[in-house]
Amino acid sequence: MAPTRPTMPASRVFAVIPARGGSKGLPGKNVALLAGKPLYRHSIDAALAAGITDIHVTTDMDEILQSPMPDGVTLHHRPDQLARDDTPMAAVLLDLLPAAGLTEGTLVLLQPTSPLRRPETIRHGLELFARSGASMVMSVSPAERSVLKWGLLDGQRFVPLVKPDYCFANRQSLPEVVRPNGALYVFDAGRFLAAGDYGVEAIHVLPIAEDEAQDIDTAADLARCSAILSNNGNTDA
């Protein structure tokens, strides 16, 4: 019996890699070297290895804009007003997609700060998006379920984040909790542009291993990722 072919989106598939220059925790973070190559190149190489040949890097960094790129990679200069610490990613995409002609198709958002993301994870995310009817597929990691006990302050009043009953429940009886880890987002570009924001009505999750979910924000994070690659015998991920 012939093996079943994976279900993939029938529409155009493209990746967007946002590589902003400003970083307070680790200056120049997105061009910092990990296993011998800049951080942003790990996301490019993972996308190419996953079979995505239409890759767009949006950046305000001259070092990236002036670097040679593999075939299939297009560089876009990001305006300074969209490269601030408080600029939401949605605003970056709303500016980039129409200007780059990326108004239809399946968008794979790959943040450079998740350099240990595997090509097979990207493929699995695309397959899940194609068959599930989800508004978005998002990679997640396990989280401490006791966060369900937390709340917000309204003056001196405690407002439960979820259900009041959870605040007084035993931790073991609380439901499983996951957190977005930032490694992978897959969604429809046309739907995003029409709504002006992400579709959150039907998000499906793709759990990934903790090592793969590492996020780099500081020099210590970079050192930890380097150690993981060394321990795995991979010095050129």
Side-chain angles (χ1 to χ4, degrees):
M1 182 176 179
T4 302
R5 294 178 62 84
T7 301
M8 299 291 281
S11 62
R12 176 185 184 182
V13 175
F14 60 91
V16 172
I17 298 172
R20 186 176 69 88
S23 173
K24 294 179 179 178
L26 180 60
K29 173 174 59 181
N30 286 321
V31 294
L33 292 181
L34 175 65
K37 62 186 176 185
L39 213 58
Y40 72 90
R41 279 300 303 262
H42 288 267
S43 290
I44 289 175
D45 292 347
L48 290 170
I52 300 176
T53 57
D54 188 6
I55 301 168
H56 299 263
V57 179
T58 168
T59 183
D60 62 328
M61 302 186 72
D62 288 339
E63 183 172 345
I64 297 177
L65 292 167
Q66 296 169 6
S67 295
M69 293 290 157
D71 291 343
V73 179
T74 303
L75 298 174
H76 303 271
H77 185 272
R78 190 190 304 187
D80 290 343
Q81 65 269 24
L82 292 175
R84 297 163 52 92
D85 288 341
D86 58 354
T87 302
M89 185 53 57
V92 175
L93 295 175
L94 289 170
D95 176 77
L96 170 69
L97 299 182
L102 304 171
T103 57
E104 294 182 347
T106 300
L107 192 165
V108 182
L109 182 61
L110 303 174
Q111 300 189 108
T113 49
S114 299
L116 305 191
R117 172 204 313 106
R118 298 184 176 94
E120 54 266 33
T121 293
I122 298 174
R123 290 193 292 268
H124 291 161
L126 284 166
E127 293 162 14
L128 177 58
F129 183 74
R131 69 172 184 265
S132 66
S135 60
M136 174 186 282
V137 167
M138 176 174 71
S139 61
V140 299
S141 299
E144 175 51 58
R145 64 184 67 189
S146 63
V147 299
L148 295 175
K149 292 173 168 283
W150 296 6
L152 304 174
L153 283 178
D154 179 8
Q156 293 298 310
R157 188 169 69 91
F158 179 87
V159 181
L161 282 178
V162 191
K163 296 180 179 180
D165 290 351
Y166 287 166
C167 299
F168 309 102
N170 294 328
R171 187 185 65 83
Q172 294 81 357
S173 67
L174 293 170
E176 182 180 3
V177 175
V178 296
R179 61 171 180 85
N181 51 45
L184 179 71
Y185 300 90
V186 183
F187 51 97
D188 183 80
R191 183 186 299 176
F192 171 82
L193 288 171
D197 208 341
Y198 310 105
V200 298
E201 66 274 7
I203 297 177
H204 284 221
V205 300
L206 182 67
I208 63 175
E210 195 58 37
D211 277 1
E212 187 180 4
Q214 295 294 313
D215 179 72
I216 293 180
D217 194 46
T218 66
D221 297 333
L222 187 66
R224 184 172 62 252
C225 285
S226 179
I228 290 171
L229 289 177
S230 296
N231 290 338
N232 291 341
N234 187 346
T235 58
D236 187 25

